[in-house]
């Protein structure tokens, strides 16, 4: 049996007009989603993710159930973004801990992650990050191109490589959480983890105070540190916990397995031996063909292994390929974004003219949205006021535009 107590808060922060984070927590599941996109679309994406996970997981509280819920959320957000022009480019992170039941009826905590919202485990005042950030800088740390210290200040540390609702399929990290009674878990959006040091998070989240006070202290500290982004935190504390006998640590793709590519078998045996070709010649030709095909495949892979942002008819567009092309493989346009080039800051327009390379389609779309939002934020601001509401133990502080 696994039981936890919980408290949660979400706050617009001091800079943003809207709260695009969405949260949910009950006695079976905790979810933080950090939405992104132009206009109010990020709010739509994060709310959809949280509602779908809540609904689906309670129908099927297993690891597979939550995986499918995330897959369904990805599909529905993507489909909404394609059908509704003002939702173009929206997406959301999602980090969730579900109390999942395995085949033996054992209920244990399992973590699911897409994006850069974070999960931490707290034990005896010590903090351990359970999730990996899916950002360009963190991917480069894992590839050895950056040190962890360089990643902390790298300009692309906030640029996501995985987001729900941007591509047909998304990779989800799934990890069993091994916990003891008294352990706490903190789920939070980057509006909290970017503002506070690991030491401050550890100290506030493990304070021997009621959970709702600890959560409020975390959110207040992030506001005091600048509140540059929306701030969300969920804190759970285990009263009882059973750990699964078969811990999981894997990354699953929500893509459907491809239909059997090789259905049936082909026979290369000839009914009549050819008079001019011995088996040695045939073998040599097969090897040569394989080498040529392999070489072409490598060149093609290199040519299309990257994406870039560029301009097409005054609109910011995403292209796949190398900007200069490789041999006969030319870059081709994947999609227009919803942003015209004139809706970027002048320095970004100049960068776009030279094309901006991105490792994945998701990263390219997210970066286009980031550049557009940077332009919006550079426009004259309006004054704000703060409204605080409280429902069923979840405190929501919303900062809104006046007038
Ligand atoms: Mg955020």
């Amino acid at each position: 049996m696994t039981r936890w107590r919980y408290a949660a808060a979400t706050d617009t922060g001091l800079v943003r007009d809207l709260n695009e984070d969405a949260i949910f927590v009950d006695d079976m599941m905790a979810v933080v989603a950090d939405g992104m996109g132009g206009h109010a679309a990020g709010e739509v994406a994060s709310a959809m993710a949280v509602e779908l996970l809540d609904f689906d997981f309670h129908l099927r509280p297993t690891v597979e159930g939550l995986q499918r819920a995330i897959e369904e959320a990805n599909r529905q957000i993507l489909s909404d973004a394609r059908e509704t022009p003002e939702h173009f480019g929206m997406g959301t992170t999602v980090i969730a801990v579900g109390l999942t039941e395995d085949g033996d009826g054992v209920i244990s905590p399992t973590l699911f992650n897409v994006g850069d919202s974070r999960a931490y485990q707290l034990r005896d005042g010590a903090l351990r990050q359970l999730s990996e950030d899916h950002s360009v800088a963190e991917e480069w740390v894992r590839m050895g191109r950056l040190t962890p210290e360089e990643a902390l200040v790298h300009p692309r540390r906030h640029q996501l490589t995985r987001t729900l609702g941007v591509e047909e399929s998304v990779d989800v990290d799934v990890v069993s959480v091994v916990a003891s009674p008294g352990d706490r878990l903190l789920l939070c959006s980057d509006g909290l983890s970017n503002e506070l040091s690991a030491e401050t998070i550890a100290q506030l989240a493990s304070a021997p105070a009621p959970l709702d006070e600890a959560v409020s202290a975390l959110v207040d500290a992030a506001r005091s540190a600048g509140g540059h982004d929306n701030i969300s935190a969920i804190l759970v504390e285990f009263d009882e916990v059973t750990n699964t006998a078969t811990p999981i640590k894997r990354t699953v793709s929500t893509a459907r397995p491809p239909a059997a590519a090789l259905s049936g078998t082909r026979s290369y045996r000839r009914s009549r031996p050819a008079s001019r070709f011995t088996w040695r010649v045939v073998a040599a030709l097969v090897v040569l063909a394989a080498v040529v095909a392999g070489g072409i495949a490598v060149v093609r892979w290199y040519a299309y292994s990257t994406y870039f942002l560029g301009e097409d008819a005054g609109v910011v567009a995403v292209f796949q390929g190398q900007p200069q092309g490789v041999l006969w493989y030319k870059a081709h346009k994947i999609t227009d974004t919803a942003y015209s080039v004139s809706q970027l800051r002048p320095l970004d327009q100049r960068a776009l003219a030279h094309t901006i390379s991105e490792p994945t389609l998701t990263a390219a779309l997210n970066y286009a949205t980031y550049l557009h939002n940077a332009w919006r934020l550079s426009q004259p601001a309006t004054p704000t006021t703060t409204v605080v509401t409280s429902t069923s133990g979840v405190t929501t502080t919303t900062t809104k535009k006046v007038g």
Side-chain angles (χ1 to χ4, degrees):
M1 188 64 198
T2 300
R3 288 188 304 117
W4 64 26
R5 289 171 295 122
Y6 56 84
T10 184
D11 188 289
T12 304
L14 301 174
V15 174
R16 301 291 178 92
D17 294 335
L18 291 169
N19 191 347
E20 297 188 316
D21 288 358
I23 60 175
F24 173 84
V25 61
D26 69 0
D27 53 10
M28 286 177 68
M29 182 171 70
V31 188
V32 170
D34 179 350
M36 62 215 69
H39 312 290
E43 205 178 31
V44 175
S46 61
M48 283 177 77
V50 164
E51 281 166 24
L52 286 162
L53 262 63
D54 171 22
F55 183 78
D56 283 4
F57 182 63
H58 288 86
L59 286 179
R60 198 160 179 260
T62 60
V63 168
E64 292 70 29
L66 199 34
Q67 275 172 209
R68 279 209 206 156
I70 292 174
E71 177 182 335
E72 184 61 17
N74 186 59
R75 199 184 62 73
Q76 290 204 24
I77 296 167
L78 182 62
S79 134
D80 186 281
R82 284 178 173 165
E83 286 165 11
T84 316
E86 54 270 33
H87 292 171
F88 176 87
M90 74 173 176
T92 183
T93 73
V94 69
I95 191 149
V97 175
L99 300 184
T100 54
E101 184 171 353
D102 67 14
D104 299 325
V106 174
I107 295 173
S108 62
T110 312
L111 173 71
F112 300 77
N113 182 39
V114 175
D116 68 348
S117 298
R118 286 187 177 173
Y120 297 98
Q121 185 166 9
L122 294 126
R123 179 180 295 174
D124 302 328
L127 182 79
R128 190 165 73 94
Q129 188 176 330
L130 298 178
S131 56
E132 287 184 345
D133 295 348
H134 302 136
S135 66
V136 172
E138 289 298 325
E139 302 282 358
W140 285 350
V141 169
R142 286 191 278 280
M143 290 163 68
R145 285 178 62 182
L146 287 181
T147 65
E149 294 71 31
E150 288 169 335
L152 287 176
V153 293
H154 197 277
R156 299 178 73 177
R157 65 190 180 280
H158 302 310
Q159 194 188 336
L160 299 183
T161 51
R162 295 193 213 167
T163 316
L164 277 199
V166 176
E167 289 190 69
E168 297 280 352
S169 95
V170 63
D171 289 344
V172 186
D173 290 350
V174 184
V175 187
S176 299
V177 178
V178 179
S180 301
D183 282 5
R184 288 180 178 180
L185 298 181
L186 169 66
L187 302 191
C188 65
S189 59
D190 63 344
L192 187 102
S193 54
N194 286 336
E195 299 288 7
L196 303 179
S197 67
E199 293 73 27
T200 304
I201 294 175
Q203 185 198 341
L204 296 174
S206 58
L211 292 178
D212 54 349
E213 288 180 22
V215 157
S216 296
L218 283 162
V219 171
D220 290 347
R223 283 174 63 92
S224 302
H228 297 91
D229 192 3
N230 306 142
I231 306 158
S232 296
I234 299 177
L235 206 50
V236 303
E237 181 173 313
F238 292 101
D239 289 327
E240 258 181 82
V241 59
T242 311
N243 292 307
T244 178
T246 49
I248 303 165
K249 187 176 190 330
R250 64 186 181 218
T251 299
V252 291
S253 170
T254 63
R256 302 280 181 190
L262 294 171
S263 52
T265 54
R266 289 182 191 168
S267 171
Y268 290 96
R269 182 174 295 176
R270 290 166 183 273
S271 53
R272 249 186 317 141
S275 55
R276 294 179 58 194
F277 292 107
T278 66
W279 68 270
R280 283 176 197 276
V281 174
V282 171
L285 287 174
V286 167
V287 169
L288 182 65
V291 168
V292 171
I296 290 172
V298 168
V299 171
R300 190 178 189 288
W301 171 83
Y302 170 72
Y304 292 129
S305 63
T306 190
Y307 295 81
F308 63 88
L309 292 173
E311 176 181 351
D312 186 39
V315 173
V316 181
V318 181
F319 297 82
Q320 184 175 18
Q322 306 289 344
Q324 312 305 331
V326 178
L327 298 178
W328 53 88
Y329 294 114
K330 304 289 179 238
H332 55 262
K333 186 169 82 173
I334 297 289
T335 181
D336 282 328
T337 68
Y339 317 123
S340 67
V341 175
S342 60
Q343 291 176 317
L344 300 184
R345 295 174 300 183
L347 79 165
D348 295 327
Q349 293 185 19
R350 287 195 291 278
L352 189 78
H354 293 100
T355 72
I356 301 170
S357 289
E358 295 298 332
T360 65
L361 175 58
T362 297
L365 289 166
N366 285 339
Y367 198 55
T369 302
Y370 164 80
L371 293 178
H372 175 71
N373 287 342
W375 168 81
R376 277 175 49 230
L377 287 170
S378 71
Q379 305 301 300
T382 48
T384 59
T385 187
T386 299
V387 178
V388 181
T389 55
S390 180
T391 47
S392 61
V394 176
T395 304
T396 307
T397 309
T398 312
T399 308
K400 288 184 174 152
K401 270 189 180 177
V402 176

